[in-house]
Amino acid sequence: MTSTTETATAGTDQTVNNTTGTQEPVSPVSENETTEQQTEASNTESASPKKAALPKPTVHKVDYEKDTVYLYQFPRCPAIVSTSPFCLKVETWLKMNDISYENVDFKTSVKSKKGQLPFVELNGKEIADSDIIIRDLSKHFDKDLDSGLTAEQKTVSHAFVSMLNNHTSWVVRWWRYSNPQKYIESAKMDLKRAVNTKLPAPVVGFLFKLEFKQNVKHVVGHGLGHHSEEEIYEFGRSDLKSLSD
């Protein structure tokens, strides 16, 4: 006969064997392996990620002040604030709206990404083209010089602006390109400073006039240059009369 103690012992052994058979075997890990894994994990955690390269500045004024407009335009002349009607337009708009701005003395060494002057920088962003500058700054500073106009008056205003930008300004260009010496004298322009060069003044004057004469082809390409001198003058007089009436 089997004793009660033996039966109990046998039952216990069977239970252990069955339990062991239904479980996944656990492989024993040596002390050395455990240490190596811990060391590897520690090294992985302590390794610092590589710092990403800082992007290159997209503006010229990197130490800008918030909401200060940095204006890039042609150099001042004794006879006029700016010889460019588009630069003059932007600066006048800034003054009329009492917006903080700074004229950047960049020695005509840079132009906008579009290859134009004027352009401005605001809060690390470049804005080029006088109309786009005024549009974007109007939105940013919540300024609207036309807010008091009726719909009809705004339409007339838009027509005049388009005339000045796309017609009258070309009359001015034609006169300048055709008469570079008169242009220099009337503006009392310091050519060496205007073009930022150390060349002798006579050489600068010769090259400046030569380039201006070559620019007449742009006026021809626009269409205005195909007309006679008197016809072009009449175009300009008509534009000015329309503005004054």
Side-chain angles (χ1 to χ4, degrees):
M1 291 180 62
T2 306
S3 66
T4 306
T5 305
E6 289 175 343
T7 304
T9 303
T12 304
D13 291 342
Q14 184 66 40
T15 304
V16 171
N17 290 337
N18 288 342
T19 304
T20 303
T22 59
Q23 292 180 352
E24 289 290 337
V26 179
S27 300
V29 180
S30 68
E31 183 178 351
N32 290 338
E33 289 176 329
T34 304
T35 304
E36 289 175 0
Q37 290 176 353
Q38 291 174 345
T39 303
E40 182 179 354
S42 176
N43 290 338
T44 303
E45 291 174 359
S46 62
S48 57
K50 292 183 179 180
K51 292 183 179 180
L54 294 175
K56 293 182 179 180
T58 57
V59 292
H60 302 285
K61 188 74 174 179
V62 294
D63 57 339
Y64 59 84
E65 294 184 13
K66 181 176 173 58
D67 284 347
T68 294
V69 176
Y70 295 93
L71 174 59
Y72 295 77
Q73 61 173 323
F74 293 103
R76 304 284 199 197
C77 291
I80 190 171
V81 174
S82 177
T83 58
S84 164
F86 302 102
C87 295
L88 188 60
K89 176 173 67 173
V90 171
E91 186 166 10
T92 301
W93 185 90
L94 290 168
K95 289 180 177 179
M96 291 179 68
N97 286 283
D98 196 26
I99 292 174
S100 175
Y101 76 97
E102 177 184 318
N103 263 307
V104 181
D105 185 13
F106 64 105
K107 309 298 183 186
T108 62
S109 59
V110 297
K111 290 184 179 180
S112 71
K113 294 180 178 66
K114 295 181 179 180
Q116 296 175 311
L117 287 175
F119 70 93
V120 302
E121 292 177 349
L122 175 66
N123 297 335
K125 178 185 176 183
E126 177 186 295
I127 311 172
D129 186 277
S130 59
D131 286 337
I132 296 176
I133 291 170
I134 291 175
R135 181 199 68 188
D136 288 3
L137 294 185
S138 296
K139 292 178 181 178
H140 181 82
F141 292 104
D142 193 23
K143 302 288 186 179
D144 184 6
L145 294 178
D146 295 339
S147 60
L149 301 182
T150 65
E152 181 180 358
Q153 289 171 332
K154 288 180 180 180
T155 300
V156 174
S157 173
H158 178 76
F160 274 127
V161 170
S162 296
M163 178 190 75
L164 291 169
N165 284 346
N166 302 308
H167 191 259
T168 314
S169 67
W170 281 99
V171 174
V172 175
R173 287 188 179 113
W174 166 82
W175 182 84
R176 289 180 177 180
Y177 297 156
S178 302
N179 304 279
Q181 184 58 40
K182 290 182 180 179
Y183 169 52
I184 295 170
E185 292 173 354
S186 62
K188 299 179 181 179
M189 186 183 297
D190 182 351
L191 280 182
K192 292 190 66 172
R193 179 176 179 272
V195 298
N196 188 31
T197 182
K198 295 181 180 179
L199 290 172
V203 176
V204 176
F206 171 77
L207 294 176
F208 184 85
K209 294 172 188 176
L210 180 63
E211 182 179 358
F212 255 46
K213 284 289 187 180
Q214 292 175 343
N215 283 337
V216 172
K217 63 184 179 183
H218 296 306
V219 185
V220 174
H222 173 269
L224 188 77
H226 290 289
H227 300 285
S228 68
E229 179 176 309
E230 182 52 38
E231 287 172 332
I232 296 175
Y233 276 128
E234 182 57 33
F235 289 149
R237 284 192 290 264
S238 296
D239 287 355
L240 295 178
K241 187 175 186 303
S242 298
L243 286 172
S244 62
D245 287 347

